[in-house]
Amino acid sequence: MHAAFPRFPEEIHRVMRLGADAGAMPKLLEAAGGTLLANGMAILLKLGFGYVMRDSLLGEVQSSKAMAFFKENFVFTDPNAAGGQRYYQGKFLIRTRRPGDDMNVWLKFCPEPERLFKNTPFGRALDPLAVIATEVLSEAEAELIEKDPGQVDLVIRFKDVDAIVGLIGRPNVDIVGLLLENVVQLTGNVGHLFKLGALAKNVELALDLPQPPRTSQP
């Protein structure tokens, strides 16, 4: 069981750091709390997961690279879908359990498939801003979305804001350890967590980032 779960939030944190490198404030998460943390996380997740595809509208070479990454990670063959394919449209709600934290981020992939592509002088190109959408929600908004199975596939609920900030510099943290420590709870289709971890890992591989050392597991 331990080896089967993705290493969350290690890849996710590394992806968020890519977002910071892309222009967000690098120290935002360390100093954040509540709504500020939610806004920082929303920005970094969007920029981080979209890092490989960020330049797809700038030229033919960049467009081809972005399209290849998109097809590998977000396109599925489906004979029952229009055009014989569909897109990955996972929806995640990231929250905390402590009342009053007001830390709610809604992460969605390919939320509007009709807006994924644009016509450019060098042909049809992927719009990187349409692949990943993030939104900061109020507690009331998050409660409504969490109760609607059509709006969210997986709820990732941390203990509190302090737990999220405390994990930033913590190496080799995986989901099993977090569950055992009661730091995080999962509600919904856990299969989407595998996909989220795989997407983050593929961003790392596409950019040929150095991999962190692994500690041995008991």
Side-chain angles (χ1 to χ4, degrees), residues 5-6 13 62 71-72 76 80 97 136 146 150 186-187 189:
F5 275 94
H13 279 165
Q62 298 95 318
K71 288 181 177 179
E72 181 179 353
F76 301 94
N80 297 318
R97 300 199 304 269
V136 175
E146 184 171 350
L186 305 175
T187 306
N189 186 346

Side-chain angles (χ1 to χ4, degrees), residues 32-105:
T35 303
L36 181 60
L37 176 61
N39 278 280
M41 183 180 290
I43 292 170
L44 299 186
L45 284 171
K46 184 176 180 66
L47 292 175
F49 277 111
Y51 201 92
V52 177
M53 301 172 284
R54 69 192 188 282
D55 295 332
S56 61
L57 298 176
L58 299 183
E60 187 173 355
V61 174
Q62 298 95 318
S63 178
S64 296
K65 179 180 178 181
M67 192 70 78
F69 182 85
F70 177 76
K71 288 181 177 179
E72 181 179 353
N73 290 280
F74 294 96
V75 179
F76 301 94
T77 300
D78 185 350
N80 297 318
Q85 65 181 25
R86 60 182 176 85
Y87 306 109
Y88 177 65
Q89 294 181 281
K91 299 179 288 293
F92 301 83
L93 184 59
I94 304 172
R95 310 188 66 188
T96 66
R97 300 199 304 269
R98 186 170 64 186
D101 270 355
D102 201 23
M103 209 307 298
N104 306 285
V105 178

